């Protein structure tokens, strides 16, 4: 359903239906086998229950006839036998629920082990935006294969870093580590000298602006999304929108800032989502802003607004990290980081690195041919 438009447009219905049908038939077969086995176990259990009760009554009747037992004792023994077998029968009946509870407990324990509770941290002074990455190695949660390896660099307040590299080189993974979404496998990421995990979660979140590559807006109004669903004054929301250059776009929406969005930002185009997500990243005057492909869906107007926004961030000495390939955003950066296969290849001032890259790509001068060498020798 989430990708219904793509499925319908490219005629994928039959192929996806066959795929679903195959999985469904396998699951139905397993359920049928489980039901048959369960019914067999239940039938055997009932057989033994009735057999034992009948045996108790038979033995009791024999003892009554022999005068060794009274009729009341025989009935009491039968009732006791039934009460004794009842928990066993119930345990067999609820075996499926017990299995589900056991599996759910294991999954929950694994999840909690992977994401331990965040301890209460001492409130630190407001950060100024100095970022230090030291020997950072990174793997996605639940995976062991590293996507970023042994990466180190330092950013001062006011730096605008452009991160470039081929697809799959680890740029987005690095961006997630810089905002604390992914924990380092090895190495550290520090904000103003303190590791990201040592900052109180709320204080760190207020000091960071993040725009992921896949923009996710939430069900609610445009103003609520920009304010990160905090109870914020209107002035702060409008200021963030103006700083992101999206104020005029929001005013043209049907109800302006009160326009209600559907799940995943339904009702907006891709470019509009990106521009509102940029305003959300700017909310609260953060000291570290990380933008992952912020102009992938922007038109010329939106790209100009993004460039002005980056310029404002640099002017108020906010540390900014851009994962981008567009020259317009790259022009505002003063530092450049080149990633390749998860490793840092180059880092430093942008102009110097661009000059080195241009020189490396410049073809070597062609060697002189023997005829030309002979002619030049004769002229000499």
């Amino acid at each position: 359903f989430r990708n219904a438009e793509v499925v319908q447009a490219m005629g994928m219905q039959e192929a996806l239906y066959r795929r679903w049908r195959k999985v469904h038939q396998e699951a139905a077969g397993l359920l049928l086998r489980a039901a048959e086995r369960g019914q067999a176990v239940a039938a055997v259990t009932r057989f033994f229950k009735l057999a034992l009760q009948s045996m108790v009554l038979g033995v009791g009747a024999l003892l009554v006839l022999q005068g060794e037992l009274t009729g009341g004792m025989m009935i009491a023994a039968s009732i006791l036998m039934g009460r004794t077998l009842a928990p066993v029968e119930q345990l067999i009946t609820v075996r499926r629920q017990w299995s589900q509870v056991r599996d759910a407990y294991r999954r929950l324990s694994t999840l909690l082990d992977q994401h331990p509770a965040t301890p209460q941290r001492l409130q630190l002074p407001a950060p100024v935006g100095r970022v230090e990455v030291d020997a950072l190695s990174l793997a996605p949660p639940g995976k062991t294969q590293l996507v970023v390896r042994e990466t180190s660099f330092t950013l001062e307040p006011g730096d605008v870093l452009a991160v470039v590299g081929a697809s799959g080189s680890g740029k987005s993974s690095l961006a997630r580590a810089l905002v604390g979404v992914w924990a380092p496998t090895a190495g550290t990421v520090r904000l103003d000298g303190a590791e990201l995990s040592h900052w109180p979660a709320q204080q760190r979140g207020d000091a960071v602006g993040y725009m992921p590559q896949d923009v996710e807006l939430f069900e609610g109004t445009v103003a609520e999304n920009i304010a990160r669903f905090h109870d914020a004054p209107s002035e702060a929301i409008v200021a963030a929108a103006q700083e992101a250059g999206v104020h005029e776009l929001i005013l043209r929406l049907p109800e302006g800032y009160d326009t209600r969005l559907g799940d995943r930002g339904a009702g907006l185009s891709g470019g509009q989502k990106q521009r509102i997500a940029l305003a959300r990243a700017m909310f609260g005057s953060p000291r570290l802003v990380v933008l992952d492909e912020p102009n992938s869906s922007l038109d010329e107007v939106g790209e100009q607004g993004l460039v002005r926004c980056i310029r404002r961030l640099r002017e108020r000495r906010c540390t900014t990290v851009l994962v981008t390939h567009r020259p317009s955003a790259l022009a505002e950066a003063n530092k450049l980081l080149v990633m390749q296969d998860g490793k840092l290849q180059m880092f430093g001032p942008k102009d110097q690195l661009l000059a080195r890259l241009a020189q490396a790509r410049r073809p070597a001068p062609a060697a002189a041919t023997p005829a030309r060498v002979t002619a030049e020798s004769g002229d000499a």
Side-chain angles (χ1 to χ4, degrees):
F1 286 122
R2 182 177 300 171
N3 300 283
E5 294 179 358
V6 175
V7 172
Q8 183 176 2
M10 295 191 289
M12 300 167 60
Q13 298 97 322
E14 289 298 327
L16 288 176
Y17 173 73
R18 288 194 300 268
R19 182 185 180 92
W20 172 86
R21 184 71 177 175
K22 179 182 178 182
V23 176
H24 175 72
Q25 288 176 342
E26 292 176 356
L30 293 174
L31 288 174
L32 180 60
R33 286 166 52 190
E36 290 175 347
R37 292 180 181 179
Q39 291 174 358
V41 172
V44 171
T45 304
R46 285 194 299 269
F47 170 78
F48 278 105
K49 178 184 177 182
L50 294 175
L52 288 173
Q53 288 179 332
S54 300
M55 184 180 67
V56 168
L57 287 173
V59 173
L62 179 62
L63 294 175
V64 170
L65 292 176
Q66 292 177 353
E68 298 181 9
L69 200 68
T70 64
M73 295 176 66
M74 180 188 70
I75 299 300
S78 177
I79 294 174
L80 287 175
M81 177 61 70
R83 296 293 184 183
T84 303
L85 295 177
V88 178
E89 185 180 15
Q90 290 178 357
L91 183 62
I92 295 174
T93 304
V94 300
R95 68 196 182 283
R96 181 178 179 184
Q97 291 88 334
W98 168 252
S99 177
Q100 291 174 344
V101 169
R102 181 190 59 197
D103 293 341
Y105 179 80
R106 289 175 179 173
R107 290 195 299 268
L108 185 60
S109 298
T110 302
L111 181 65
L112 292 177
D113 291 340
Q114 292 176 350
H115 304 278
T118 303
Q120 293 291 333
R121 296 290 185 180
L122 181 69
Q123 194 83 0
L124 298 175
V128 296
R130 190 172 194 270
V131 176
E132 300 170 76
V133 178
D134 183 22
L136 175 66
S137 294
L138 193 67
K143 306 292 184 181
T144 57
Q145 183 177 0
L146 297 178
V147 292
V148 175
R149 296 186 292 275
E150 295 293 329
T151 296
S152 301
F153 61 89
T154 301
L155 299 176
E156 299 295 337
D159 280 342
V160 179
L161 172 67
V163 182
V164 299
S167 298
S169 58
K171 304 186 301 298
S172 296
S173 300
L174 177 62
R176 294 185 181 100
L178 291 177
V179 297
V181 176
W182 286 2
T185 304
T188 58
V189 178
R190 297 180 181 273
L191 178 61
D192 281 23
E195 292 187 31
L196 289 182
S197 59
H198 295 173
W199 285 87
Q202 188 60 53
Q203 186 183 15
R204 184 186 67 196
D206 292 339
V208 170
Y210 177 49
M211 180 178 168
Q213 186 174 4
D214 297 324
V215 174
E216 292 287 352
L217 299 179
F218 301 94
E219 185 175 355
T221 65
V222 172
E224 288 173 336
N225 274 274
I226 293 176
R228 307 181 186 184
F229 288 86
H230 296 321
D231 294 328
S234 302
E235 294 80 6
I237 298 173
V238 174
Q242 289 175 335
E243 194 166 7
V246 74
H247 177 67
E248 290 75 12
L249 181 148
I250 296 175
L251 294 180
R252 291 195 296 269
L253 295 176
E255 297 182 37
Y257 283 87
D258 294 320
T259 301
R260 181 161 290 276
L261 306 178
D263 187 29
R264 300 167 63 87
L268 298 177
S269 67
Q272 289 174 328
K273 290 180 184 179
Q274 278 200 317
R275 298 185 69 182
I276 291 177
L278 177 61
R280 180 179 63 185
M282 302 296 294
F283 177 77
S285 299
R287 302 308 307 164
L288 170 63
V289 174
V290 179
L291 308 176
D292 191 355
E293 297 288 356
N295 49 4
S296 59
S297 300
L298 297 184
D299 56 11
E300 184 178 354
V301 175
E303 195 145 356
Q304 292 174 356
L306 174 64
V307 171
R308 288 193 295 268
C309 177
I310 297 172
R311 196 172 298 148
R312 294 190 193 100
L313 290 172
R314 187 177 59 191
E315 290 172 354
R316 64 179 177 87
R317 296 188 60 76
C318 172
T319 306
T320 308
V321 178
L322 300 170
V323 177
T324 183
H325 296 97
R326 299 280 187 91
S328 56
L330 192 63
E332 297 300 319
N334 67 318
K335 290 187 176 180
L336 186 66
L337 188 151
V338 181
M339 296 284 293
Q340 183 176 356
D341 297 329
K343 295 182 179 180
L344 186 151
Q345 295 295 313
M346 303 174 71
F347 171 74
K350 181 194 67 176
D351 295 335
Q352 294 181 12
L353 293 189
L354 289 179
R356 287 172 55 187
L357 290 173
Q359 185 176 4
R361 293 174 181 172
R362 190 176 303 160
T369 62
R372 185 174 177 181
V373 172
T374 304
E376 289 177 352
S377 301
D379 294 340

